[in-house]
Amino acid sequence: MATGGGGEGESAGAEGGGGGDGTRSCPSLGRRFFVAVHVGAGFHAPANEKVYRRAMKRACLAAAAVLREGSGTSLDAVAAAIRVLEDDPITNAGRGSSLTESGRVECDASIMDGSTGSYGAVGAVQGVKNPIQVALHLAKEQMMGSSLLGRIPPMFLVGEGAYTWAKCKGIDLVGATSEEDNWLVTENAKAQWVKYSSLLARAKESVNHATASASESSSVQLQGAEAENLSNVKKTKIFTQSVMEDDQDCVMDTVGVVCIDDHGNVASGASSGGIALKVDGRVGLAAMYGSGCWASSKGPFGTPFIVGCCATGAGEHLIRGFASRECCVSASLCLMHHVLLLAPSHERCPRFVKIRMYLDTTEGVLFSFLKFQHYTYKLNTYLLRSPSGPASSCTKILRSAVQSSSEMSHDTGAGLLLVQADVIKRGELSVLEATELVAAYSSSSFGVGYFGSNMSNPKVSMLRDSRTSSGSIQHFATRVHFGAPSSEE
């Protein structure tokens, strides 16, 4: 059952079930899996909501088809879901991406395997139909190890080098001879580019005029600078208002996916066309290590902890904070150690002391302390999960990014999608037992969807924050158990 309640107010409720084409699939009785997707934080026009919901549903089903196969891995499932989102012109990834200042499509993408730590990414690449495929190939070559002559396989490629490498690997390219005929460029993207370019040109002209007028004297220069700052603030507000119209989307950067297979192997990925009217050659959040996506099967101190995260939004500020990685690390630190210390047996009345501590106080540190005090206490530990842990972690990391963003920019819209998993041992194998999903956002809307092997149909939602306060944090959370058919429809 979905649960609400956010960092700074009530959660925006999850909206209706499968959506889209109305088809239903039977819950899987075999391999367990979980898929979570998002289509970016920002402003999603209500008129386009059904289209976004259909795209998320198709992405969930594409990943599920891979995970149901005997050889299907979570890494391949992530790539399959993101390919669906890249091919759909409604998203800001692959086809339909925002255009650069010069009117080109330059895409970023990354993918990470939580079991091995293998990572692959491309930045500012042109002419590639599915950038996530290049990232996937890079990650798999990382797994294979050194190539000919012991050369280290690349992890991150950009620009023309990424295009050439993709061509050598047989990855699908667009092959257009001109930008007008480029399959990646949609009519909507071109219309937005024309509109935003016009606004930018007028803003530059106004700034140049103000600068020229303020050059007569030092006092006039100061007044001119103040006027310029006020003018820029006003134009920023006008630009933002022009973007967030009822019939236009303003999706701030990436799409993302987190997948977990039957044995608890986790992977995550992200893909993006970048922010509207970005500088040519800019590499954004979706490609940056530790920022756009992260996946891990262990906590920061080596303890088992399965988690994946992907981020979207105010790119540069999320990049600085390594948003996805920090969110996963923070979630792992919410596990509580409950330690039972048994006093020495020679004491007349044995004492039982219960100590509660965070995971960053490890058993090794505690044993050293006891030895230093000449105690011989018997130490038993067991783990309990804090109910608000993952949600608290997401809102904390997001709040930090919003504060950083608000100091330097008007744009404080961002989102984090995190999935945390529990596994149980069956003989020598681990089996997925439950997953917890958290979607935190500071934007007007955040499109998310998820699908478990015990669900009949993917659940897709467009989370919306109706409040007008800038930078407020909302979140949606749900937990899925795989022992019985889910009530999530």
Side-chain angles (χ1 to χ4, degrees):
M1 181 176 180
T3 58
E8 298 182 2
E10 295 183 357
S11 143
E15 299 170 7
D21 54 18
T23 60
R24 293 174 63 85
S25 58
C26 295
S28 173
L29 299 178
R31 294 165 61 90
R32 296 178 178 183
F33 63 82
F34 187 78
V35 178
V37 307
H38 78 75
V39 289
F43 176 77
H44 300 79
N48 294 331
E49 183 168 327
K50 289 184 178 179
V51 183
Y52 280 110
R53 289 160 63 92
R54 284 196 295 268
M56 288 188 286
K57 182 178 181 180
R58 289 197 303 270
C60 286
L61 293 174
V66 173
L67 292 170
R68 284 194 178 105
E69 297 176 1
S71 59
T73 67
S74 54
L75 198 69
D76 290 325
V78 167
I82 291 181
R83 280 198 304 270
V84 171
L85 298 175
E86 288 177 337
D87 289 343
D88 197 314
I90 194 65
T91 66
N92 182 21
R95 190 180 186 210
S97 292
S98 298
L99 304 185
T100 67
E101 278 189 300
S102 64
R104 299 178 181 277
V105 169
E106 292 184 354
C107 293
D108 306 322
S110 65
I111 196 167
M112 185 171 187
D113 178 70
S115 299
T116 64
S118 297
Y119 179 88
V122 290
V125 62
Q126 298 183 31
V128 176
K129 182 179 180 182
N130 294 113
I132 194 64
Q133 282 298 105
V134 189
L136 177 64
H137 275 67
L138 287 167
K140 287 188 172 182
E141 291 207 353
Q142 289 284 313
M143 293 179 180
M144 290 186 293
S146 299
S147 58
L148 294 175
L149 301 179
R151 296 190 305 167
I152 299 175
M155 184 175 76
F156 191 168
L157 296 174
V158 297
E160 186 176 347
Y163 176 89
T164 303
W165 192 87
K167 187 176 182 180
C168 292
K169 298 297 179 180
I171 296 173
D172 287 343
L173 306 176
V174 175
T177 57
S178 68
E179 199 66 33
E180 290 295 322
D181 297 327
N182 195 330
W183 180 82
L184 296 172
V185 181
T186 62
E187 291 300 320
N188 182 59
K190 285 192 286 188
Q192 287 187 343
W193 180 81
V194 170
K195 178 180 179 179
Y196 299 161
S197 295
S198 177
L199 287 171
L200 182 62
R202 289 203 300 269
K204 287 181 178 180
E205 183 180 351
S206 178
V207 169
N208 292 336
H209 177 74
T211 303
S213 301
S215 61
E216 296 179 2
S217 66
S218 58
S219 61
V220 175
Q221 287 174 1
L222 179 60
Q223 294 173 2
E226 292 174 348
E228 177 183 331
N229 290 336
L230 291 174
S231 176
N232 288 341
V233 170
K234 291 179 180 179
K235 286 179 172 56
T236 294
K237 293 180 178 179
I238 293 173
F239 181 82
T240 304
Q241 291 172 356
S242 68
V243 168
M244 296 178 61
E245 296 175 354
D246 290 340
D247 61 342
Q248 290 192 359
D249 299 309
C250 177
V251 183
M252 303 305 300
D253 220 9
T254 68
V255 301
V257 176
V258 179
C259 291
I260 302 176
D261 70 12
D262 188 40
H263 301 299
N265 299 309
V266 61
S268 67
S271 182
S272 174
I275 57 177
L277 221 62
K278 65 180 180 180
V279 175
D280 290 63
R282 172 191 181 261
V283 177
L285 172 71
M288 302 303 290
Y289 183 77
S291 301
C293 71
W294 190 260
S296 177
S297 60
K298 292 183 179 180
F301 302 103
T303 54
F305 189 78
I306 300 167
V307 65
C309 182
C310 41
T312 172
E316 272 64 22
H317 308 292
L318 292 169
I319 291 172
R320 289 192 190 99
F322 294 93
S324 291
R325 179 186 181 277
E326 288 302 303
C327 196
C328 291
V329 171
S330 179
S332 71
L333 295 179
C334 287
L335 277 179
M336 307 296 289
H337 265 238
H338 286 252
V339 182
L340 182 64
L341 296 179
L342 178 61
S345 58
H346 64 265
E347 290 192 5
R348 183 182 308 173
C349 297
R351 292 177 292 115
F352 290 88
V353 183
K354 193 173 185 180
I355 297 179
R356 199 177 189 184
M357 63 191 70
Y358 287 98
L359 189 61
D360 54 351
T361 301
T362 65
E363 293 183 20
V365 173
L366 186 58
F367 271 126
S368 297
F369 172 78
L370 295 177
K371 184 177 181 181
F372 177 76
Q373 295 293 331
H374 304 290
Y375 291 141
T376 57
Y377 289 173
K378 179 183 178 182
L379 182 66
N380 297 309
T381 67
Y382 57 95
L383 298 178
L384 293 179
R385 193 177 305 282
S386 172
S388 61
S392 175
S393 300
C394 289
T395 53
K396 180 182 71 174
I397 299 301
L398 194 56
R399 186 179 294 110
S400 175
V402 167
Q403 290 174 348
S404 174
S405 176
S406 63
E407 294 171 359
M408 303 180 64
S409 170
H410 71 287
D411 175 24
T412 58
L416 290 170
L417 179 68
L418 180 140
V419 178
Q420 183 176 309
D422 297 327
V423 296
I424 55 175
K425 283 286 187 179
R426 289 185 179 173
E428 296 296 320
L429 297 176
S430 296
V431 178
L432 184 63
E433 181 185 29
T435 57
E436 186 167 358
L437 176 148
V438 176
Y441 60 105
S442 61
S443 55
S444 298
S445 57
F446 190 24
V448 299
Y450 59 96
F451 188 32
S453 54
N454 61 337
M455 296 169 59
S456 297
N457 217 35
K459 186 171 180 66
V460 292
S461 308
M462 186 59 71
L463 306 176
R464 294 190 183 276
D465 184 2
S466 58
R467 297 178 303 177
T468 57
S469 57
S470 176
S472 62
I473 310 296
Q474 295 290 295
H475 83 259
F476 164 80
T478 189
R479 187 168 174 83
V480 177
H481 294 268
F482 294 92
S486 174
S487 60
E488 301 282 358
E489 298 294 343

